[in-house]
Amino acid sequence: MHQKPHFQLYIDGAWTEGARGQVMHSQNPATGQDWSSFACAAPEDVDRAVSAARRSLDDPAWRDMTQTARGKLLFKLAELIEENAGHLGQLETTDSGKLLAETASQTAYVGDYYRYYAGLADKIEGAVLPIDKPDMHVFTKREPIGVVVAIVPWNAQMFLTATKLGPAIAAGCSVVLKASEIAPAPMLEFARLIDEAGFPPGVVSVITGDAENCAIPLTRHPDVDRIAFTGGPETARHVVRNSAENFAVTTLELGGKSPIIVFEDANLDGAANGLIAGNFGASGQSCVAGSRGLIHRPILEALVDKIEEKMKGVAIGDPLETATHIGPLCTAAQVERIQATLAKATEQGARIRFGGKPLNRPGNFLAPTLVECASPETETLKVEMFGPVMSLLPFDTEEEAIALANDSQFGLGSGVFTEKVARAHRVSSRLKSGICWINTYRAVSPIAPFGGYNQSGYGREAGIEAIHDYTRTKTVWLNTSEQPMSNPFVMR
């Protein structure tokens, strides 16, 4: 009988079971069957990981490593990630249900994020200040912020880890990476690459576990200096409350309910592809899903026809098969929640143009769904679906489209499809979102900052600025006078 794989925690340079022996099992979303098990951290393990991270900051092996040498470690990690992208992708697909075509390619591309921050590692600079006092040489330097807790969800693990681990390591921090207890296998396997790359023990630990035994003691730990969190708004509220215990600097990358505005002059093929990418790509399990399609009324029917035609050739099935376009959802609970939301939307007068039901096969499969909404208050326009559900609502004027787009508690992504350059600039400048894609959707790069407004969180990941979030500024005053310091009771 084939033995199911078991994944251990990686703490202080060693693999280990949890201190209290807790083990959880992971289901394959494509079959609904348990396929692996993994160790779960207890509070004692959390303390070991954070203590090791704190110790490593004073260990000459890490403390005295040059910025250039830190960059070389990140370059090495990038190479290992690319070499193992297929293996990590298979694990992620089996564990979360995301398409192998996406998990493997995205993992390979993640190597560029580590290279980007590797290149920035020895470009973290201070400044000499033109101070307004004589006989003073004053300069600033950027120092590592300290122990970083990086918390990532299951839906884009390698990508969302890179946007935290890359700048943290480049800045000289130590990191405790907390993987979601839903589908943690690729993160626990990723620890082997961290070990192989040659990071000193304690610089990076990888753990997972439930809220009570792992997440809460981790985010409350007194030795944590920074928390970088990606996840849902409700969990984020707990993280912020916990950070009041240690005053850790906190950045939040949360959910979204992103609008995609399609004007009547848009290229219909491009707009249809953008809506499909924004709603059915990754089976809709994306924080930037463009799940509020706002369509200029004169082209609504033509655009729906175009989407329906394109969806006829879409293959739904085994996410490990290269021909598959849409795989299962990660959990059965998602399918149930989406069905309940669709039921409420139809009660409100929404019309389901296609899909709307689970597929009659093993696993957590939901048919891609298009909902034509009767009003802006339709439930599918309000709730983050996290599944393959596209909701369309017509508008009549540009002002109305902007108002509808901004009528949300979220503000992560947005999209605009128009052939008029002036309109593209005009509308994008008024959208309250951290990202705006024009005539495209769901594109990312290590060079481009990523983050949102409002309840989509605060702070930015990727880009040059993000590396400064993992540093503290120290100001140094040097008295250059030959005379000793004068009157101690007068502020200089």
Side-chain angles (χ1 to χ4, degrees):
M1 182 177 178
H2 179 67
Q3 188 173 3
K4 297 173 184 175
H6 176 73
F7 298 90
Q8 293 182 305
L9 311 173
Y10 180 70
I11 300 175
D12 199 10
W15 282 268
T16 179
E17 296 296 315
R20 300 184 184 178
Q22 184 185 6
V23 172
M24 294 177 73
H25 296 267
S26 187
Q27 282 191 343
N28 181 336
T31 64
Q33 302 297 312
D34 285 355
W35 81 278
S36 69
S37 60
F38 56 93
C40 295
E44 299 94 319
D45 302 304
V46 168
D47 188 60
R48 275 202 303 135
V50 175
S51 297
R54 175 62 62 192
R55 185 204 69 236
S56 72
L57 293 172
D58 291 322
D59 183 347
W62 186 240
R63 182 195 65 201
D64 298 340
M65 184 180 289
T66 66
Q67 292 171 259
T68 302
R70 290 201 298 262
K72 289 180 179 178
L73 274 178
L74 287 171
F75 277 122
K76 175 64 174 175
L77 183 60
E79 291 174 7
L80 290 170
I81 288 169
E82 283 191 347
E83 291 169 7
N84 290 273
H87 172 58
L88 290 171
Q90 286 231 344
L91 284 177
E92 186 172 356
T93 294
T94 305
D95 214 18
S96 71
K98 288 188 68 175
L99 296 186
L100 178 60
E102 178 161 348
T103 57
S105 62
Q106 188 180 74
T107 298
Y109 183 53
V110 154
D112 284 349
Y113 279 79
Y114 289 102
R115 289 193 184 92
Y116 180 79
Y117 286 107
L120 285 177
D122 55 8
K123 298 165 188 68
I124 303 171
E125 300 174 342
V128 176
L129 306 183
I131 208 68
D132 59 346
K133 301 182 186 302
D135 301 323
M136 286 288 181
H137 177 65
V138 183
F139 62 93
T140 62
K141 56 188 297 190
R142 289 188 176 272
E143 299 180 338
I145 198 168
V147 175
V148 174
V149 166
I151 302 176
V152 297
W154 55 265
N155 64 309
Q157 301 176 56
M158 294 300 294
F159 165 63
L160 293 170
T161 294
T163 59
K164 300 169 180 61
L165 187 61
I169 293 300
C173 300
S174 54
V175 181
V176 179
L177 173 61
K178 196 274 180 184
S180 171
E181 64 274 26
I182 300 173
M187 286 294 91
L188 297 172
E189 186 70 7
F190 173 56
R192 299 191 178 278
L193 305 187
I194 293 168
D195 190 73
E196 186 176 346
F199 289 92
V203 172
V204 184
S205 292
V206 185
I207 62 175
T208 190
D210 59 32
E212 181 180 355
N213 291 297
C214 184
I216 293 173
L218 184 59
T219 51
R220 291 170 63 100
H221 200 287
D223 279 335
V224 169
D225 299 296
R226 190 182 194 284
I227 302 170
F229 173 84
T230 301
E234 192 52 45
T235 304
R237 291 185 178 94
H238 291 291
V239 169
V240 172
R241 293 186 191 106
N242 292 340
S243 70
E245 299 298 319
N246 52 24
F247 296 115
V249 177
T250 305
T251 52
L252 307 173
E253 199 274 285
L254 309 180
K257 194 67 185 170
S258 301
I260 297 179
I261 305 174
V262 182
F263 289 97
E264 60 182 343
D265 61 279
N267 179 290
L268 284 190
D269 265 324
N273 286 336
L275 285 161
I276 290 169
N279 287 275
F280 301 147
S283 300
Q285 300 172 114
S286 170
C287 56
V288 295
S291 54
R292 291 189 296 140
L294 307 176
I295 316 301
H296 220 150
R297 195 181 299 274
I299 62 168
L300 177 61
E301 281 304 317
L303 185 58
V304 170
D305 289 344
K306 182 77 70 174
I307 292 168
E308 287 181 327
E309 183 64 29
K310 288 177 178 290
M311 291 304 292
K312 288 178 182 176
V314 167
I316 307 166
D318 185 348
L320 289 169
E321 294 292 333
T322 56
T324 300
H325 297 109
I326 297 177
L329 301 188
C330 187
T331 68
Q334 289 171 255
V335 178
E336 294 169 5
R337 185 177 60 81
I338 290 171
Q339 284 188 281
T341 305
L342 289 172
K344 185 169 182 179
T346 55
E347 290 173 5
Q348 295 170 318
R351 175 188 176 195
I352 296 179
R353 294 291 293 257
F354 58 75
K357 296 185 181 300
L359 299 185
N360 185 24
R361 57 176 294 167
N364 308 323
F365 287 89
L366 180 76
T369 302
L370 191 153
V371 182
E372 202 173 308
C373 298
S375 82
E377 299 307 312
T378 304
E379 192 74 356
T380 57
L381 290 170
K382 296 293 183 182
V383 176
E384 187 176 19
M385 303 299 288
F386 232 66
V389 179
M390 180 190 303
S391 297
L392 302 183
L393 181 72
F395 68 86
D396 294 301
T397 67
E398 183 178 302
E399 284 296 319
E400 182 188 7
I402 293 168
L404 288 169
N406 289 336
D407 183 23
S408 173
Q409 62 184 336
F410 298 106
L412 185 54
S414 61
V416 178
F417 282 83
T418 178
E419 294 298 291
K420 296 180 178 178
V421 175
R423 170 180 274 165
H425 281 286
R426 186 170 62 243
V427 173
S428 64
S429 69
R430 293 184 58 191
L431 294 179
K432 296 175 182 176
S433 63
I435 311 158
C436 184
W437 289 285
I438 299 173
N439 294 330
T440 188
Y441 205 78
R442 218 172 150 239
V444 295
S445 167
I447 303 165
F450 186 99
Y453 297 174
N454 304 325
Q455 291 198 30
S456 288
Y458 49 80
R460 292 294 180 268
E461 296 189 322
I464 290 176
E465 292 178 12
I467 201 166
H468 291 157
D469 291 341
Y470 291 87
T471 67
R472 299 186 198 274
T473 299
K474 175 177 284 184
T475 305
V476 180
W477 292 72
L478 174 63
N479 183 0
T480 61
S481 172
E482 292 183 352
Q483 300 300 316
M485 182 176 172
S486 57
N487 190 343
F489 299 105
V490 177
M491 189 171 183
R492 301 199 72 194

